[in-house]
């Protein structure tokens, strides 16, 4: 392992030293609910294409893309190179990918004994064997490694043997070559939700990994991504401007959630007080224990981001899009019926026209932002800023260096 800082620039976007902002895109974890950010990202990319041409892709505009679990999968879809060294997937292809493959990743059990069969599976092993997902990702990504993504990525996982988070970060590869794992292994690892999918083991170089879902560490990894950028700044990475850690007006962050069920809660303390192991692991078609810690970590990050961006007078550089109103199967991570998948698409479309909202840092309640417009309007504004930032960088950057 070496300590020197190596260039972290990527093919698509000139480095932040030639612009005004450090741009970050974040996608939460949430299983099949990855359809919701898929819809949002399709709209954002379409706005960028309207400004800069139909070949524009999200990876061309963000210095970092971070994602956990299903968000990690979307991160890789947007940033892994195809044979032409362009993103493997356009944003418009994310939703069809989920609709086509989710029923095979999460095969549904029907009939009068469905509930008993699901309970039995949970007690003796993961609900799903993960073989389809593993074969799918291995086929799609081949031997492509972390160092080959078209922009920097940050994907959290958790090592169940070492009992600590493992962050697969483009920035760490020069310092720790063992982190330059195959993207397929990273995706399988960050998606290995306890009770749902099996833990994932692999070896890269002289290091062994025993991974489960990154949501155990950070279901909303935007703060992890900001931390990785800050570390590069402190290490004097030549591709990042010399800024103070609290200069949040230099960060532009779009963070997209996968939805949650808060307005019509399923559980309360009276119910939970009676639960044993089984009750916490399977209840009303969900896994309360897993949902509790993944949602708790995500909410704390949202609260932190709101406080920091507000305190440092940079709140207009932060956009969080999340739906708190999911109900029934829409709130599940694995009910992959056609009806439910189509319903999640409609949730994403409706979310575009909901008002921009933020957490009230005093009450913890999500409230519409006065004069904030809709999420659609906010994304349009952010697309214009991203396009202008890219054009500024291109005008100043030539022959591998900054001019003017």
């Amino acid at each position: 392992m070496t300590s020197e800082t190596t260039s972290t620039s990527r093919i698509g976007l000139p480095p932040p030293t030639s612009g005004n902002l450090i741009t970050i895109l974040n996608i939460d974890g949430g299983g099949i609910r990855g359809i919701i950010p898929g819809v949002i990202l399709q709209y954002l990319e379409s706005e960028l294409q309207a400004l800069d041409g139909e070949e524009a892709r999200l990876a061309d505009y963000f210095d970092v893309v971070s994602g956990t679990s299903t968000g990690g999968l979307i991160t890789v879809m947007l940033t892994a190179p195809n044979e032409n060294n362009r993103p493997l997937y356009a944003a418009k292809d994310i939703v069809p990918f989920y609709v086509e493959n989710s029923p095979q990743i999460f095969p549904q059990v029907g009939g009068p004994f469905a509930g008993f069969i699901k309970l039995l599976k949970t007690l003796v092993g993961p609900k799903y064997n993960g073989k389809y997902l593993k074969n799918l990702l291995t086929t799609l990504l081949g031997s492509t490694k972390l160092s080959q993504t078209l922009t920097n990525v940050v994907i959290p996982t958790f090592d169940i043997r070492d009992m600590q988070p493992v962050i697969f970060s483009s920035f760490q590869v020069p310092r720790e070559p063992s982190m330059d794992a195959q993207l397929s292994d990273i995706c399988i690892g960050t998606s290995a939700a306890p009770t749902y999918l099996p833990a994932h083991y692999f070896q890269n170089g002289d290091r062994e990994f025993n991974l489960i879902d990154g949501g155990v560490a950070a279901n909303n990894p935007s703060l992890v991504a900001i931390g990785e950028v800050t570390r590069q700044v402190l290490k004097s990475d030549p591709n990042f401007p010399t800024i103070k850690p609290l200069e949040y007006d230099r960060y532009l962050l779009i963070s997209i959630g996968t939805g949650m069920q808060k307005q019509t809660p399923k559980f309360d303390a009276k119910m939970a007080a009676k639960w044993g192991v089984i009750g916490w692991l399977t209840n009303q078609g969900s896994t309360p224990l897993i949902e509790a810690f993944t949602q708790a970590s995500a909410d704390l990050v949202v609260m932190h981001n709101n406080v920091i961006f507000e305190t440092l007078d940079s709140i207009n550089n932060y956009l969080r899009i999340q739906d708190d109103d999911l109900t029934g199967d829409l709130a599940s991570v694995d009910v992959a019926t056609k009806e439910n998948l189509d319903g999640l698409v409609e949730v994403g479309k409706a979310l575009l026209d909901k008002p921009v909202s933020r957490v009230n840092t005093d009450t913890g309640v999500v409230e519409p932002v006065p004069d904030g417009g809709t999420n659609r309007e906010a994304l349009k504004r952010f697309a214009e800023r991203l396009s202008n930032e890219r054009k500024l960088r291109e005008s100043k950057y030539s022959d591998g260096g900054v001019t003017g």
Side-chain angles (χ1 to χ4, degrees), residues 33 80 134 172 179 214 217 233 255-256 258 294 332 364 375 390 401:
R33 301 200 310 267
K134 183 175 183 179
Q172 294 188 23
M179 298 297 289
V233 171
S255 179
I256 306 176
T258 56
T294 56
S332 76
N375 290 318
R390 179 176 175 81

Side-chain angles (χ1 to χ4, degrees), residues 235-256:
K235 288 181 175 292
S236 302
D237 184 333
N239 291 297
F240 285 84
T242 303
I243 62 174
K244 297 177 182 178
L246 294 182
E247 285 188 82
Y248 269 59
D249 60 330
R250 301 295 297 274
Y251 292 94
L252 184 150
L253 170 62
I254 299 177
S255 179
I256 306 176

Side-chain angles (χ1 to χ4, degrees), residues 314-363:
S314 305
I315 195 64
N316 290 330
N317 284 16
Y318 172 49
L319 176 63
R320 173 67 174 175
I321 299 180
Q322 174 70 304
D323 193 319
D324 293 338
D325 299 330
L326 299 187
T327 59
D329 288 346
L330 291 173
S332 76
V333 299
D334 67 330
V335 178
T337 62
K338 184 180 186 304
E339 179 184 12
N340 199 45
L341 297 175
D342 291 344
L344 288 168
V345 174
E346 295 307 312
V347 168
K349 291 178 180 178
L351 184 55
L352 283 170
D353 293 312
K354 288 187 176 183
V356 174
S357 300
R358 297 195 191 107
V359 173
N360 182 314
T361 51
D362 292 324
T363 66

Side-chain angles (χ1 to χ4, degrees), residues 103-126:
Q104 284 73 46
I105 298 171
F106 303 113
Q108 301 299 290
V109 178
F113 301 106
F116 175 76
I117 293 172
K118 291 177 182 178
L119 174 59
L120 185 61
K121 283 187 174 182
T122 301
L123 293 177
V124 301

Side-chain angles (χ1 to χ4, degrees), residues 173-215:
V173 169
R175 299 188 292 270
E176 300 182 51
S178 64
M179 298 297 289
D180 193 19
Q182 292 187 3
L183 291 174
S184 58
D185 282 319
I186 296 172
C187 286
I188 296 167
T190 194
S191 302
T195 76
Y196 290 97
L197 290 165
H200 183 54
Y201 169 85
F202 67 94
Q203 185 170 350
N204 191 50
D206 59 357
R207 182 168 178 179
E208 294 182 340
F209 296 89
N210 298 265
L211 303 181
I212 61 173
D213 194 332

